[in-house]
């Protein structure tokens, strides 16, 4: 018997500005499922619905019709923060994925899997697994643990976002054009990071990208969207 | 007023108002929420305390009720913003406005005298204990609140509170309901302000409907003065003290970072509250009319902000000298 999918979208339709002259059907009756450990590349032109697909899974794009199941649970009516217990999200804009006025260390503490309401004092060191992830980025992030995130470069911030996403050890990782603002050397670092982390773990990773060649070597499947519909799978 | 008299006034007021400034630090600096509710919750704390004491209850119970009333005021502001979608500023203004009438309802009149009613500070009056002990107790109260808040901010919930003001979106993506964190933060902030109001009322011997007016600008002035001076001291330390490689290594491992992040902000608030009331006492001593104090406070805030934005830092000054 095959394993139940980690992500299951049934007849998902997302419409923005409904009933106005600016109405846009961002996703049109999409039905997709993703298995455990799959690394899927989501491609398509501008406005094809790639980011909306991730947002529909994360719960930040309201569904007009359809349902979303994560890890076997119907989460269609769940708020984004509840769904986030199953997933990590890395945004195209690195500023969205980190707290700029907190230090690198404090950002890393946020991503540990402990209840947020704990009144116990925080551990005063970075965990070994997080240090390992920091080293895998190939950037000197560990040496900047005490610095506020606002002083990091864009590439370093995006690398930190990736580390935060993977250190949460969630079953699902959503990557939204996370290399689009990076130069070639940093992008190569990020790809090396992704390759080693996906090999070592069994996350289901959905990566939206405009440059399929960069991610093709780690992706096991490609979903191509056009005008809110699946064209190739 | 003599110099010891000026210092005495500055310490008494500064230490008790510092607790309210801690509350303002939580909303303004940590939650990034300029909360005007404090203008009403300061008086609310004093009003609840006065009426509870007037009815013969224990001062400790009165303090607890004041804190709870303050928390409720913060909750009201939270509900207006998060549940009805009213802007943060307007939510605070509306609750402040409503609290004026509520406070009058609670007190029954504009002023309640606490003379000959047992308060937390009655021991100082009846046993003839002098002002130095009273000041030491006030300082101890302020420091106890400071250390308690430092501890809280070093815990996971404190870290998430600060992160919520910094990037709410990111905190949500960690699976945390940020509305709950805003509720806790706003409630706690207004509870602290109400406790400060209750302590000030006991110290001055009366609760008055107008005692919270200008609280937000007093708090901001204290904060700006404290932060300006504190950042100056930190830069001075940086200019003279070179960090050893070993300490650098310790820092990279995150050692000793968390507990001190908020300590700086909160210590600056305590220092600023004392200095603010010292400056006000000096202004009165040199003959400034009490009616001009708002003008003096406004100018003080402008000068503080201008100095921080445009003035030379200690580091750049020292670099030029050394």
């Amino acid at each position: 018997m095959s394993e139940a999918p980690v992500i299951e979208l049934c007849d998902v339709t997302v419409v923005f500005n409904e009933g106005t002259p600016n109405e846009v059907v961002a996703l049109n009756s999409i039905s997709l499922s993703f298995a455990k450990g799959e690394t899927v590349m989501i491609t398509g032109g501008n406005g094809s619905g790639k980011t909306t697909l991730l947002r529909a899974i994360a719960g930040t794009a309201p569904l007009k019709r359809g349902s979303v199941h994560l890890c076997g649970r119907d989460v269609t009516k769940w708020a984004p923060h509840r769904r986030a217990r199953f997933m990590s999200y890395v945004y195209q804009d690195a500023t969205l994925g980190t707290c700029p006025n907190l230090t690198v260390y404090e950002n890393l503490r946020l991503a540990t899997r402990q209840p947020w309401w704990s009144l116990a004092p925080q551990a005063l060191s970075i965990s070994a697994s997080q240090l390992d992830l920091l080293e895998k980025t190939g950037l000197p992030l560990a040496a900047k643990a005490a610095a506020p995130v606002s002083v990091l470069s864009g590439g370093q911030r995006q690398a930190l976002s990736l580390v935060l996403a993977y250190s949460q050890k969630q079953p699902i990782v959503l990557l939204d054009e996370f290399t689009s603002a990076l130069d070639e050397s940093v992008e190569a670092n990020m790809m090396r990071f992704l390759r080693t982390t996906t090999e070592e773990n069994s996350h289901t990773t959905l990566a939206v990208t405009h440059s399929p060649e960069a991610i093709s070597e780690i992706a096991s499947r490609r979903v191509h969207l056009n005008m809110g519909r699946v064209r190739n799978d | 007023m003599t110099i010891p008299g000026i210092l005495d006034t500055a310490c008494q007021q500064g230490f008790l108002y510092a607790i309210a400034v801690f509350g303002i630090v939580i909303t303004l600096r940590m939650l990034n929420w300029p909360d005007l509710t404090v203008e009403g919750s300061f008086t609310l704390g004093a009003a609840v305390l006065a009426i509870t004491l007037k009815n013969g209850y224990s001062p400790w119970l009165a303090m607890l009720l004041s804190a709870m009333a303050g928390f409720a005021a913060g909750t009201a502001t939270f509900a207006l913003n998060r549940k009805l979608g009213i802007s943060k500023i307007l939510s605070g203004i509306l609750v402040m406005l409503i609290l004026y009438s509520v406070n009058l309802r609670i007190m029954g009149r504009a002023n309640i005298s606490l003379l000959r009613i047992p308060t937390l500070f009655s021991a100082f009056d009846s046993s003839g204990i002098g002002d130095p002990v009273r000041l030491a107790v006030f300082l101890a109260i302020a420091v106890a609140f400071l250390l308690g808040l430092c501890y809280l901010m070093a815990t996971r919930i404190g870290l998430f509170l600060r992160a919520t003001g910094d990037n709410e979106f990111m905190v949500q993506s960690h699976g945390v309901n940020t509305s709950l964190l805003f509720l806790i933060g706003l409630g706690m902030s207004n509870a602290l302000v109400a406790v400060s109001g209750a302590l000030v009322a006991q110290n001055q011997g009366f609760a008055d409907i107008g005692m919270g007016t200008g609280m937000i600008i007093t708090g901001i002035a204290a904060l700006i003065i404290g932060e300006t001076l504190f950042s100056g001291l930190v830069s001075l330390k940086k200019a003279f003290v070179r960090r050893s490689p070993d300490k650098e290594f310790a820092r990279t491992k995150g050692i000793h970072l968390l507990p001190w992040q908020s300590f700086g902000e909160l210590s600056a608030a305590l220092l600023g509250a004392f200095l603010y009331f010292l400056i006000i006492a000096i202004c009165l001593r040199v003959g400034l009319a009490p009616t001009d104090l708002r003008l003096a406070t406004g100018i003080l805030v402008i000068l503080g902000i201008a100095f921080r934005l445009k003035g030379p830092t200690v580091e750049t000054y020292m670099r030029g000298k050394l």
Side-chain angles (χ1 to χ4, degrees):
Chain A
M1 199 174 84
S2 64
E3 209 172 340
V6 174
I7 305 170
E8 195 172 12
L9 305 169
C10 301
D11 192 28
V12 167
T13 300
V14 175
V15 181
F16 293 121
N17 307 316
E18 195 178 358
T20 71
N22 298 323
E23 182 174 301
V24 177
V25 182
L27 293 180
N28 197 346
S29 297
I30 296 264
S31 292
L32 285 167
S33 61
F34 304 100
K36 186 179 176 184
E38 256 190 317
T39 300
V40 185
M41 181 164 62
I42 315 282
T43 57
N46 285 330
S48 59
K50 305 183 299 294
T51 297
T52 309
L53 179 71
L54 297 196
R55 289 182 58 203
I57 296 168
T60 52
L63 305 193
K64 185 187 178 194
R65 197 173 60 237
S67 65
V68 178
H69 288 74
L70 299 179
C71 301
R73 294 188 200 191
D74 184 355
V75 300
T76 313
K77 292 191 185 333
W78 286 21
H81 74 268
R82 282 189 74 196
R83 295 193 196 190
R85 291 165 199 167
F86 293 109
M87 71 185 78
S88 304
Y89 201 121
V90 179
Y91 303 91
Q92 181 179 9
D93 180 359
T95 57
L96 289 176
T98 48
C99 287
N101 292 318
L102 300 189
T103 62
V104 170
Y105 164 71
E106 287 170 323
N107 273 272
L108 289 166
R109 292 302 310 166
L110 289 171
T112 54
R113 296 194 77 180
Q114 291 162 347
W116 66 267
W117 59 85
S118 167
L119 280 171
Q122 288 288 281
L124 294 179
S125 60
I126 300 169
S127 69
S129 61
Q130 284 185 329
L131 267 178
D132 184 42
L133 286 172
L134 287 177
E135 278 165 21
K136 277 182 188 161
T137 62
L139 297 171
L141 284 173
K144 296 194 171 180
V149 169
S150 54
V151 305
L152 301 183
S153 68
Q156 287 172 333
R157 255 178 111 155
Q158 194 61 303
L160 180 63
S161 298
L162 262 185
V163 170
L164 294 177
Y166 278 94
S167 61
Q168 289 179 70
K169 297 188 172 70
Q170 307 285 32
I172 300 164
V173 180
L174 306 178
L175 307 172
D176 186 5
E177 294 184 45
F178 70 104
T179 58
S180 60
L182 306 178
D183 64 34
E184 280 177 16
S185 64
V186 181
E187 186 178 348
N189 272 339
M190 297 299 102
M191 285 305 153
R192 207 173 304 124
F193 174 91
L194 266 186
R195 199 177 306 121
T196 49
T197 9
T198 46
E199 276 166 11
E200 290 166 13
N201 299 285
S202 55
H203 307 286
T204 301
T205 306
L206 304 192
V208 164
T209 181
H210 270 301
S211 51
E213 60 285 352
I215 207 166
S216 57
E217 56 181 293
I218 56 166
S220 53
R221 179 178 160 195
R222 177 176 177 174
V223 172
H224 186 75
L225 298 179
N226 186 23
M227 306 286 282
R229 288 180 183 275
V230 178
R231 288 293 170 218
N232 272 313
D233 186 2
Chain B
M1 203 187 288
T2 58
I3 291 174
I6 290 174
L7 279 174
D8 182 64
T9 310
C11 287
Q12 281 197 31
Q13 305 232 50
F15 296 153
L16 295 185
Y17 272 87
I19 298 162
V21 184
F22 293 157
I24 293 171
V25 169
I26 292 175
T27 45
L28 197 66
R29 289 283 184 258
M30 296 180 184
L31 291 180
N32 200 14
W33 186 313
D35 180 26
L36 296 179
T37 319
V38 294
E39 299 255 331
S41 53
F42 189 79
T43 315
L44 179 67
V48 169
L49 173 112
I51 209 70
T52 313
L53 292 183
K54 200 89 181 160
N55 284 299
Y57 292 101
S58 140
W60 292 105
L61 176 69
M63 290 297 296
L64 181 68
L65 292 177
S66 293
M68 286 166 68
F71 196 97
T75 307
T77 305
F78 162 83
L80 290 186
N81 173 257
R82 304 296 283 201
K83 302 297 171 192
L84 297 182
I86 299 171
S87 75
K88 289 176 178 175
I89 295 271
L90 190 55
S91 302
I93 291 172
L94 285 169
V95 176
M96 174 184 78
L97 193 74
I98 291 166
L99 281 178
Y100 187 85
S101 298
V102 170
N103 291 337
L104 272 174
R105 281 271 173 198
I106 292 170
M107 294 205 291
R109 55 182 183 275
N111 188 296
I112 293 181
S113 169
L114 297 176
L115 294 174
R116 286 181 293 280
I117 293 177
T119 68
L120 286 182
F121 307 137
S122 293
F124 300 123
D125 305 326
S126 54
S127 64
I129 301 172
D131 279 337
V133 179
R134 178 187 281 253
L135 289 185
V137 170
F138 288 0
L139 178 62
I141 292 171
V143 170
F145 273 98
L146 184 144
L147 293 178
L149 283 170
C150 278
Y151 177 83
L152 182 73
M153 292 306 156
T155 63
R156 195 159 175 77
I157 190 170
L159 181 61
F160 270 99
L161 267 175
R162 293 193 291 132
T164 301
D166 209 11
N167 185 351
E168 185 186 353
F169 204 50
M170 189 252 195
V171 174
Q172 277 179 349
S173 73
H174 284 299
V176 179
N177 185 355
T178 47
S179 289
L180 203 53
L181 283 164
F182 275 121
L183 173 65
I184 293 169
L186 275 175
M188 200 165 67
S189 162
N190 281 285
L192 285 169
V193 173
V195 163
S196 174
L199 288 171
V200 168
Q202 290 176 89
N203 185 43
Q204 65 191 17
F206 64 88
D208 187 85
I209 192 68
M211 64 189 284
T213 313
M215 187 61 228
I216 187 75
I217 199 68
T218 301
I220 290 174
L223 205 53
I224 299 279
I225 294 167
E227 285 176 351
T228 307
L229 198 74
F230 206 83
S231 62
L233 289 175
V234 170
S235 333
L236 194 66
K237 186 190 158 207
K238 277 185 191 163
F240 283 106
V241 182
R242 298 248 174 263
R243 204 178 292 130
S244 71
D246 286 343
K247 204 168 178 185
E248 186 64 49
F249 177 74
R251 287 173 72 86
T252 63
K253 298 293 177 194
I255 310 289
H256 74 252
L257 292 175
L258 254 184
W260 304 109
Q261 292 293 320
S262 307
F263 182 76
E265 274 176 330
L266 294 166
S267 304
L270 177 59
L271 183 70
F274 164 70
L275 286 175
Y276 171 77
F277 284 103
L278 183 67
I279 293 167
I280 293 297
I282 291 170
C283 285
L284 289 171
R285 174 71 181 83
V286 297
L288 202 74
T291 45
D292 291 336
L293 284 181
R294 293 286 165 83
L295 176 71
T297 305
I299 292 172
L300 208 59
V301 172
I302 294 167
L303 286 177
I305 294 173
F307 185 79
R308 287 180 67 182
L309 293 178
K310 307 281 183 193
T313 66
V314 178
E315 263 180 315
T316 50
Y317 177 77
M318 291 311 297
R319 218 173 283 142
K321 288 276 173 191
L322 295 172

